[in-house]
Amino acid sequence: MAAVTSSKHEEEMMELRRGPWTLEEDNLLMNYIACHGEGRWNLLARCSGLKRTGKSCRLRWLNYLKPDIKRGNLTPEEQLLILELHSKWGNRWSRIAQHLPGRTDNEIKNYWRTRVQKQARQLRVDANSAVFRDAVRCYWMPRLLEKMAATSAHQVDPALLHPAHVATGLGSASPPVHGGQHDATSAPGSGYGHHQSYPVDPSPSTSTSGSTSAAALPPVPCFSELSWVDQYGPYADLDGPGAGAFDSAALGGLGLDGLDLGPADGDVYPDSTLLDYLNSACCTGGGAMMTMMGGGNGAHSTCGAMDEYDGAYVPSSWRTDELCQAAARKLGDHHQWGGGI
DNA sequence: AAATCCGACAACCGCATCGGA
DNA sequence: TTCCGATGCGGTTGTCGGATT
């Protein structure tokens, strides 16, 4: 008897499909959800005719089929938002995804692993280290904005390009505007994304990566909620309302991807790398840092955790052994770390 | 032109948490 | 209070296509 039960169970297990979803499966799933709504995934799996687990159905729906899923490359403001929120919350992908309408935790997680962690590897630092966090704040984000201005026909408030404004949002109080690399044709049901290919009767209509359109999008959350003050203390936020805000209006719709934070694999810190930048900042007692920050006391808050040291504000984490070690690899001992860093 | 490498993304797996019986 | 199924989350793997050699 037990053997019979076991074999039945095995039979069931054998019937369960795995791997890529077919168009028919997607249709089944979408139709079922259209009739019965989301949730109760195990019931759905049993009753819909799909030979999938409830888990698999849920994942397919949430990560791919759900109508409000936004596909295509992450926009610059989305990238900035991810960088910021990750520095705040770490690998809380789901939580981060809640602040990027239409983006899934899976997508954000993949972005982090394929793009951001790659940069960290190239810099030989841990992506979760304070050094890398500061690198992102002080180097990646400003360059993101610079590249946006350099490569885009969009009007970007020049004031925004001052690194200080990366964090403070000075220069514009415009409401968020949407646009960027969203392709409305790639929504489930009308087309499929970059890698989607059905093993049976494939009928993908469009490839979406990198494409752009002016499709209407749900609002991108206001960056003003991204104040760093709660994490980094009193020096991490600017004074007054609007502080800590990226200007998503100015950033909106700009297509940018693949920013390099550092050297390619095999190179050992070529010209103009993050560490050169860090070096110049530190060796001048925070001078370069202060430039980055907007010239002094008025805006001493743009690069994350700031401590007052020797009359100047410097990022707290710059005084870590980790940073010194990283810098030493590049610089040897012939540079002095200024400002007591 | 073929082989190999690599990046990107979809999907799976294991564990944690939640909520109802 | 405990148990158990459902759901959610994060880490990891598999697969595909483009780029490079």
Side-chain angles (χ1 to χ4, degrees), chain A residues 4-334:
Chain A
V4 173
T5 308
S6 169
S7 90
K8 266 195 170 181
H9 180 69
E10 282 174 16
E11 201 174 321
E12 271 183 20
M13 295 304 287
M14 290 285 284
E15 282 183 6
L16 276 182
R17 276 187 50 79
R18 293 178 54 184
W21 281 63
T22 65
L23 180 60
E24 288 75 18
E25 287 178 310
D26 279 350
N27 285 334
L28 268 178
L29 181 54
M30 286 190 292
N31 288 337
Y32 187 93
I33 289 175
C35 293
H36 301 92
E38 290 182 51
R40 308 179 73 183
W41 297 107
N42 286 336
L43 182 67
L44 179 156
R46 283 195 301 271
C47 301
S48 63
L50 287 162
K51 294 180 170 57
R52 299 275 183 171
T53 65
K55 257 185 171 183
S56 181
C57 295
R58 172 182 169 270
L59 219 54
R60 182 63 177 173
W61 175 254
L62 292 179
N63 285 343
Y64 204 86
L65 296 176
K66 207 173 176 184
D68 57 359
I69 294 291
K70 197 197 293 184
R71 310 205 66 82
N73 292 346
L74 290 163
T75 64
E77 66 264 35
E78 285 173 327
Q79 294 179 48
L80 286 166
L81 191 49
I82 290 169
L83 295 174
E84 170 55 29
L85 293 180
H86 186 275
S87 77
K88 204 170 178 179
W89 296 328
N91 296 358
R92 301 292 303 278
W93 308 119
S94 177
R95 191 171 178 186
I96 293 171
Q98 287 170 8
H99 289 72
L100 287 97
R103 300 296 186 181
T104 68
D105 54 351
N106 206 33
E107 190 175 11
I108 293 167
K109 182 172 56 183
N110 282 331
Y111 167 75
W112 185 263
R113 292 186 62 82
T114 57
R115 313 289 183 82
V116 181
Q117 286 199 332
K118 186 181 90 173
Q119 299 296 345
R121 277 199 307 274
Q122 289 174 350
L123 288 166
R124 276 81 162 166
V125 299
D126 181 356
N128 293 317
S129 67
V131 173
F132 188 69
R133 240 184 7 243
D134 282 332
V136 167
R137 292 183 188 292
C138 302
Y139 194 79
W140 195 338
M141 289 179 175
R143 290 186 68 182
L144 191 56
L145 287 172
E146 283 174 13
K147 282 215 174 186
M148 285 158 53
T151 60
S152 169
H154 288 62
Q155 293 299 311
V156 176
D157 185 344
L160 269 178
L161 300 182
H162 194 292
H165 301 156
V166 171
T168 64
L170 293 177
S172 171
S174 307
V177 169
H178 304 293
Q181 305 182 343
H182 174 66
D183 186 344
T185 66
S186 66
S190 59
Y192 289 87
H194 173 56
H195 271 284
Q196 179 61 27
S197 60
Y198 290 107
V200 178
D201 187 26
S203 57
S205 55
T206 55
S207 174
T208 60
S209 280
S211 61
T212 61
S213 79
L217 296 176
V220 170
C222 181
F223 285 83
S224 61
E225 62 188 85
L226 300 179
S227 164
W228 294 336
V229 69
D230 53 349
Q231 183 187 8
Y232 292 106
Y235 301 130
D237 199 13
L238 249 197
D239 330 276
F246 294 106
D247 188 300
S248 58
L251 304 183
L254 299 176
L256 182 74
D257 201 5
L259 269 183
D260 284 333
L261 187 57
D265 276 335
D267 295 334
V268 182
Y269 307 122
D271 291 342
S272 187
T273 66
L274 164 65
L275 282 177
D276 289 332
Y277 162 75
L278 292 178
N279 178 46
S280 67
C282 295
C283 288
T284 54
M289 188 64 205
M290 297 311 289
T291 304
M292 286 281 296
M293 293 187 302
N297 295 336
H300 57 254
S301 62
T302 59
C303 290
M306 306 297 288
D307 287 342
E308 187 172 13
Y309 192 89
D310 218 13
Y313 291 104
V314 299
S316 314
S317 54
W318 282 24
R319 290 186 287 164
T320 63
D321 293 342
E322 203 174 2
L323 172 61
C324 295
Q325 287 166 8
R329 282 201 298 274
K330 159 69 177 173
L331 303 169
D333 292 327
H334 61 282

